[in-house]
């Protein structure tokens, strides 16, 4: 499955892929709602970024270990979990 995703990203880049490709390679990224294997997809485009993903549950994650920071937050305190990061992101 990962080979198919990689080929799709190369042959038919999405708006997200195009956006990521324009960022500085050392960008600090906050991905709010990072389901659907987003850590993998992001690191395939901009591998040296500092990636923080946050969501309310583990939705279709096959390689969350690629995330530098991966947070599953309580849906009732989601806003507070973002505020608690206390970091700046690009």
């Amino acid at each position: 499955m990962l080979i198919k995703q990689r080929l799709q990203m190369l042959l038919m880049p999405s708006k997200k892929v195009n956006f990521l490709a324009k960022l500085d390679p050392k960008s600090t990224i906050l991905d709010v709602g990072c389901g659907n294997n987003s850590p993998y997809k992001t690191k395939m485009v901009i591998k040296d970024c500092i990636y923080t993903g946050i969501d309310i549950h583990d939705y279709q994650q096959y390689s969350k270990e690629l995330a530098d920071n991966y947070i599953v937050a309580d849906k009732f305190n989601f806003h507070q979990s973002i505020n608690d990061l206390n970091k700046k992101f690009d």
Side-chain angles (χ1 to χ4, degrees):
M1 180 169 170
L2 295 178
I3 294 171
K4 181 180 176 183
Q5 286 179 332
R6 190 174 275 181
L7 282 172
Q8 284 177 329
M9 288 172 60
L10 290 171
L11 298 175
M12 299 178 338
S14 67
K15 292 177 184 176
K16 181 177 180 177
V17 170
N18 287 333
F19 171 76
L20 290 170
K22 294 175 185 175
L23 293 178
D24 183 287
K26 302 287 185 183
S27 291
T28 303
I29 297 171
L30 174 61
D31 189 352
V32 177
C34 65
N36 295 317
N37 215 22
S38 194
Y40 169 79
K41 292 174 182 177
T42 300
K43 287 288 190 164
M44 290 301 104
V45 176
I46 185 168
K47 67 180 180 173
D48 292 328
C49 72
I50 304 300
Y51 178 93
T52 298
I54 186 168
D55 212 327
I56 59 171
H57 52 78
D58 226 359
Y59 184 71
Q60 293 188 9
Q61 295 294 354
Y62 306 111
S63 39
K64 62 185 171 191
E65 68 278 357
L66 292 175
D68 298 287
N69 302 296
Y70 182 76
I71 301 158
V72 177
D74 178 71
K75 67 181 177 181
F76 299 107
N77 294 313
F78 189 71
H79 65 286
Q80 188 60 46
S81 297
I82 294 171
N83 192 47
D84 290 348
L85 291 172
N86 203 21
K87 295 180 182 178
K88 290 189 177 189
F89 296 93
D90 298 315

